[in-house]
Amino acid sequence: MKRTTALLGSAVMVAATMLATLPAAANAAPLTHDQQLALVPPAVTAAGLRDDQLSVWYLDEGNTLHVGLTSYTTQQAEALVDRLGTDTVITQEDQPEAAIGHAPKSSAAAKQLLNPSAGARASATPASGTPSTGGVPGGLTVGPYEPFLTVPTYPGGVRIIRDAGDEIVWCSTTALWGGKMLFAGHCGPNGAKWQQGYYDNGTIASSGSAGTASSVHWEANNPDVALLSGGNGFDKGVYLNGDKGNVTYAHIAGAAVSAIGATICTDGTTTGYVCNAKVNMVNGCTNMTEEGKTVHECGIDSANNPNAIVTRPGDSGGPVLAPSTGGKFLVTGTISAESNGGHTVYYSNANRIKQILGTSVTVG
């Protein structure tokens, strides 16, 4: 996230008049993490700001509330601090945009079901990849990833695509989660049917069915998650996507929550496998836009890499990973959105995914 702290001096740290929703009695139970974050949207409106000026909001490790706004005046910032408390930090933040890929369709798209054994660029069971010291799988170069077809069963880290009527939509998959394939909820509604493949010059190239969407969540302060089931089945591993469609297969050791200051790797099927983004928000909320629609999502982490683009359209649903022992990886989340020209990634927090889906990543 781009950090531009409001230059309000002592004016920001004025005496606070808390909202009536805060507990008035001295012995009232303290607000929970989620209750504190829930105060922010109504406070933004009460301070004379529009909801679409609210970008991100979260509590840091010291329980200081951070509120990111796309734009604001000194008067609006002071009014917001009055309502939320003197230790509230106001910053300028770009609004996150969903990292979904889509293209308008002027006519019915042709569908070409290619023979996976002939069209695939990767085996379903290649050797496990070992990251090099630069954070890139051995033998691969970071760069734009070209869509490819793969042999069922499908691991995480592959592109999925669907015909959405007036447009073609594509996303990425995360990893096997409780026996089903995890991806991003904003990619499509419950019941949407997906193919593994890609869209090129009016043609959907597909290696087969990637299943049907269920357990879709992404609005109303939820994390951005969904599951795929059925189709040609799924594999326990994840493809680490390199340049020119080259992939390295990686095994999953489990799931873990990101820590502030830690570095993570993103693995969307547009940008590919990119590491060294530093985590700067854990279990926060975003006001994400997707094709003109703005929604509140919570249970979201973010990380920034000023030296590399980590997320582009089409990466939604891709895995966020942290290296583990023995060349395996931990899943720390699933890609949701991007900002700051693709240098900042927003992703659903692994613990919040477990809570809302009731399951965890499949190890293997």
Side-chain angles (χ1 to χ4, degrees):
M1 290 181 285
K2 181 169 66 178
R3 298 286 176 193
T4 310
T5 303
L7 300 177
L8 303 179
S10 60
V12 171
M13 299 304 179
V14 296
T17 303
M18 304 302 284
L19 284 174
T21 50
L22 289 173
N27 60 352
L31 295 176
T32 67
H33 174 277
D34 289 354
Q35 287 172 334
Q36 291 182 72
L37 294 183
L39 294 174
V40 174
V44 166
T45 302
L49 292 148
R50 302 186 313 275
D51 181 72
D52 63 5
Q53 288 177 271
L54 177 60
S55 176
V56 299
W57 59 108
Y58 65 98
L59 293 164
D60 66 19
E61 292 174 302
N63 210 42
T64 297
L65 178 62
H66 294 253
V67 180
L69 303 169
T70 59
S71 62
Y72 56 90
T73 65
T74 299
Q75 183 179 12
Q76 289 169 331
E78 291 174 351
L80 188 55
V81 169
D82 280 347
R83 287 160 172 80
L84 294 175
T86 56
D87 60 348
T88 302
V89 177
I90 310 296
T91 57
Q92 188 280 322
E93 306 285 356
D94 295 338
Q95 193 161 58
E97 297 183 5
I100 189 173
H102 51 82
K105 187 179 65 174
S106 57
S107 59
K111 183 177 178 182
Q112 182 181 8
L113 185 62
L114 301 180
N115 181 347
S117 62
R121 298 187 188 176
S123 167
T125 54
S128 177
T130 301
S132 67
T133 55
V136 182
L140 300 186
T141 303
V142 171
Y145 163 69
E146 296 181 4
F148 71 103
L149 299 178
T150 190
V151 178
T153 55
Y154 303 128
V158 303
R159 175 161 293 184
I160 54 173
I161 190 166
R162 67 183 178 91
D163 188 332
D166 59 350
E167 65 177 2
I168 303 297
V169 173
W170 58 93
C171 285
S172 306
T173 58
T174 307
L176 200 59
W177 197 275
K180 298 180 180 180
M181 182 58 67
L182 180 67
F183 72 120
H186 72 264
C187 290
N190 284 314
K193 297 185 183 302
W194 291 85
Q195 301 285 318
Q196 191 285 311
Y198 58 90
Y199 184 63
D200 183 36
N201 294 323
T203 298
I204 297 176
S206 169
S207 67
S209 172
T212 302
S214 63
S215 301
V216 173
H217 303 276
W218 69 290
E219 300 180 73
N221 302 319
N222 286 313
D224 185 5
V225 294
L227 295 171
L228 289 170
S229 59
N232 287 328
F234 308 107
D235 187 86
K236 295 179 181 178
V238 169
Y239 280 154
L240 306 180
N241 295 300
D243 64 325
K244 297 180 173 59
N246 293 314
V247 296
T248 298
Y249 187 90
H251 293 279
I252 299 301
V257 176
S258 298
I260 296 293
T263 57
I264 51 89
C265 303
T266 53
D267 186 35
T269 59
T270 299
T271 309
Y273 182 72
V274 184
C275 290
N276 299 320
K278 183 175 289 188
V279 177
N280 51 25
M281 180 177 81
V282 173
N283 200 18
C285 298
T286 68
N287 214 1
M288 186 184 77
T289 62
E290 200 270 306
E291 291 194 278
K293 183 177 182 179
T294 303
V295 301
H296 293 177
E297 295 183 337
C298 292
I300 301 296
D301 300 348
S302 72
N304 177 265
N305 185 335
N307 301 313
I309 292 175
V310 295
T311 307
R312 293 186 178 106
D315 288 340
S316 282
V320 181
L321 302 166
S324 183
T325 58
K328 296 184 178 182
F329 287 81
L330 297 169
V331 175
T332 63
T334 185
I335 296 171
S336 175
E338 58 88 14
S339 70
N340 196 22
H343 290 274
T344 299
V345 59
Y346 297 87
Y347 56 100
S348 295
N349 176 284
N351 267 357
R352 296 299 290 266
I353 298 173
K354 291 179 184 179
Q355 290 171 8
I356 199 166
L357 295 179
T359 55
S360 187
V361 70
T362 303
V363 175

